[in-house]
Amino acid sequence: MRLALLVAGTTLPLIIFAAGIVFHNYVQDRKDATQRVLDTVRSIRLVLDAEMQRMTGGLQVLSLTNSLRSGDFNSFRRIAAGFLEQYGKNGVVLVADRDGRQLFSSVTSDSTALPLRNNRDIVDKVFATKRPHYSNLFVGVVKKNLIVTVEVPVMRDGEVLYDISFSPPIEIFQAIIEQQRPSDDWTISIFDREGVNFARIPNPQETVGKRASPTLYAAMFGAREATLQTVSLEGVPLITSLARSSLTGWTVAAGIAESSLVGPLWRNLAITSVIGGVLLLIDLAFAVRMATTIARGEMLHDLLIEELNHRVKNTLAILQSIATQTFRSASRAEREKFEGRLGALAEAHNLLSTEKWQGSELQDVIRRVLQPYLLNNPERVRMFGPRVPLSPRLAVVLSMIVHEIATNAAKYGALSNESGAVVLDWEIVEESTGRQLRLIWTEAGGPPVVEPVQRGFGSRLIERSARDQLGGEATVDFLPRGVVYTVTCALGAE
């Protein structure tokens, strides 16, 4: 009897210790899940911003066309149709004057029957600020559907002539969050500036057009990023993170169900209890058998003691293995290295997905990024260079760099007027350190070149991406005839 109590006194603390390890693992999993939710919502916000920048860039290219500036809407219809082909059949382009009168609609050629714009506030903002704006969710006056719009000014002689508006299919935003959803126990939403859903999973049919749940709505208008416990519109407790876009003012929120974390805790505790109970019963049964055998004779005493010690050592080894496996986790450096890397741009991502993440050709990546600038006059951007296969990582980073350079050219350089042109050529150079790609962007015919006093975020992004992620460098020369960017990267960098 004393031997049985001794075995029980040895096994029970080990079972309690294993249960403590399981609970510690739950606490760590909860911490990791909270960080994963924040990483996911940041990634979705980056993808959303990249898509909206692409739409805005396309509209800005349309706003520069002579046919639109001169009021030749019949000629402009063909150009607008080329822009809309990227987004499917449900996108609509409108042109309105300062009073909200629709002068052009891609839906109909009969401009006399077009009603006034019903979101006049955003039209007034475009004329007042001379900048692009992004609307809240509202019911479109033409198709009577729930829409959001991108609004861009059409400038002439420094004044706003028209407001050109694009309402993309809502399905685009739904597709973004569906592609980014890690698993079925996640709830993801995109909200306008008033906290109204315009894309959501799950149950988009029942929730699009509704305001965020009270627990989330209360936190949406504070910090740009936050993590908190909420309850979804379906009544599910969530660990939720939100991030508000500085570009559009829209908010992305993602949450993982609390039950997905609590469930494994109880399951692991149950498994630990069952295993511990079985081990305890085995040890108790064996101890009783050992005690009975010892009582039969002193001759087997030493052998029985050795066997008991062997069993106890085996039990300790099993529990030690469980502890080692439970405490093993990824290092902080690895988690930080992964943070923020998903968003990068809208188009490189789509291209790599089409190629099933086997990589892609450099020319395909560049054409995808420059698509908005090729719609009106493809001859303005000429490209020369050999076929260069890129790894997925190189394709994403180069896409980000070319996007920033093209954006600068559209705002300030050769693509900001009607006469400028760009030559983009590349070559492969053999260096002592290995093969390198050298890409040169040369502008001509743009406005007079003035070197900026301060470097903006885009310039720093180009420089740091080339240096830190491509193993190369990026330089910019502000020459009288036009800006010249030179970007090099190591093709062997993976």
Side-chain angles (χ1 to χ4, degrees), residues 311-322:
R311 291 298 181 99
V312 172
K313 287 179 180 179
N314 283 346
T315 302
L316 290 173
I318 292 172
L319 292 175
Q320 184 180 9
S321 176
I322 293 173

Side-chain angles (χ1 to χ4, degrees), residues 113-135:
L114 294 173
L116 291 173
R117 289 284 302 272
N118 62 344
N119 56 340
R120 287 289 306 281
D121 289 345
I122 197 168
V123 176
D124 293 340
K125 286 182 181 179
V126 170
F127 277 89
T129 64
K130 302 180 182 180
R131 293 189 297 105
H133 287 276
Y134 306 88
S135 77

Side-chain angles (χ1 to χ4, degrees), residues 373-410:
Y373 309 97
L374 300 175
L375 289 174
N376 186 33
N377 188 354
E379 298 301 317
R380 295 189 68 181
V381 181
R382 291 182 293 169
M383 293 177 280
F384 306 93
R387 291 173 59 86
V388 182
L390 300 177
S391 67
R393 192 179 68 82
L394 288 180
V396 169
V397 178
L398 282 174
S399 173
M400 293 172 61
I401 291 175
V402 174
H403 170 78
E404 290 297 329
I405 294 175
T407 300
N408 289 339

Side-chain angles (χ1 to χ4, degrees), residues 29-320:
D29 285 349
R30 188 181 181 89
K31 181 179 178 181
D32 293 343
T34 301
Q35 184 62 45
R36 189 166 69 251
V37 172
L38 182 58
D39 292 341
T40 299
V41 84
R42 286 172 174 169
S43 173
I44 297 173
R45 182 187 60 77
L46 287 172
V47 173
L48 177 63
D49 282 355
E51 181 63 30
M52 298 312 297
Q53 286 174 337
R54 186 171 75 94
M55 292 181 190
T56 305
L59 281 183
Q60 288 172 330
V61 171
L62 291 180
S63 72
L64 296 174
T65 58
N66 286 330
S67 57
L68 178 56
R69 289 180 171 183
S70 63
D72 184 1
F73 295 117
N74 289 330
S75 299
F76 178 69
R77 186 173 300 278
R78 175 181 55 81
I79 300 173
F83 170 80
L84 288 170
E85 285 179 359
Q86 306 173 67
Y87 299 100
K89 62 181 181 179
N90 292 326
V92 177
V93 171
L94 301 176
V95 177
D97 63 12
R98 184 182 297 271
D99 297 324
R101 288 191 297 266
Q102 296 189 49
L103 307 177
F104 170 86
S105 171
S106 60
V107 176
T108 177
S109 59
D110 183 9
S111 60
T112 60
L114 294 173
L116 291 173
R117 289 284 302 272
N118 62 344
N119 56 340
R120 287 289 306 281
D121 289 345
I122 197 168
V123 176
D124 293 340
K125 286 182 181 179
V126 170
F127 277 89
T129 64
K130 302 180 182 180
R131 293 189 297 105
H133 287 276
Y134 306 88
S135 77
N136 293 320
L137 188 69
F138 68 100
V139 177
V141 70
V142 176
K143 292 188 175 182
K144 306 301 182 182
N145 295 329
L146 288 173
I147 60 172
V148 292
T149 59
V150 183
E151 313 275 344
V152 169
V154 179
M155 306 294 296
R156 188 173 67 186
D157 299 329
E159 296 298 326
V160 181
L161 182 63
Y162 303 124
D163 169 29
I164 182 171
S165 166
F166 173 53
S167 56
I170 290 294
E171 293 79 9
I172 289 178
F173 306 107
Q174 194 68 29
I176 288 175
I177 61 176
E178 288 175 353
Q179 291 168 4
Q180 298 289 325
R181 189 186 194 188
S183 60
D184 291 342
D185 55 357
W186 284 64
T187 299
I188 304 177
S189 297
I190 304 177
F191 300 96
D192 67 14
R193 290 186 300 277
E194 294 182 351
V196 177
N197 273 297
F198 63 89
R200 188 182 189 271
I201 47 177
N203 305 322
Q205 294 82 5
E206 291 80 14
T207 55
V208 167
K210 291 185 178 180
R211 179 174 289 182
S213 64
T215 51
L216 177 59
Y217 185 82
M220 289 181 64
F221 306 102
R224 289 194 175 276
E225 289 188 348
T227 300
L228 64 158
Q229 291 179 296
T230 66
V231 178
S232 72
L233 292 173
E234 294 83 5
V236 178
L238 303 173
I239 298 176
T240 300
S241 288
L242 59 88
R244 187 166 65 254
S245 167
S246 58
L247 174 70
T248 62
W250 299 342
T251 299
V252 177
I256 184 172
E258 291 262 13
S259 59
S260 65
L261 300 176
V262 176
L265 168 65
W266 292 114
R267 183 168 59 252
N268 291 336
L269 286 175
I271 292 173
T272 301
S273 300
V274 170
I275 293 176
V278 171
L279 291 175
L280 180 61
L281 289 175
I282 291 174
D283 286 342
L284 287 174
F286 185 77
V288 171
R289 180 183 175 188
M290 289 284 288
T292 303
T293 303
I294 290 173
R296 292 176 182 174
E298 283 294 321
M299 294 180 60
L300 298 178
H301 177 73
D302 293 339
L303 178 61
L304 293 174
I305 292 297
E306 290 177 6
E307 182 66 8
L308 177 60
N309 290 336
H310 176 69
R311 291 298 181 99
V312 172
K313 287 179 180 179
N314 283 346
T315 302
L316 290 173
I318 292 172
L319 292 175
Q320 184 180 9

Side-chain angles (χ1 to χ4, degrees), residues 6-16 276 279-280 283 312 315 319:
L6 177 62
V7 172
T10 303
T11 306
L12 282 174
L14 293 176
I15 296 174
I16 295 172
L279 291 175
L280 180 61
D283 286 342
V312 172
T315 302
L319 292 175

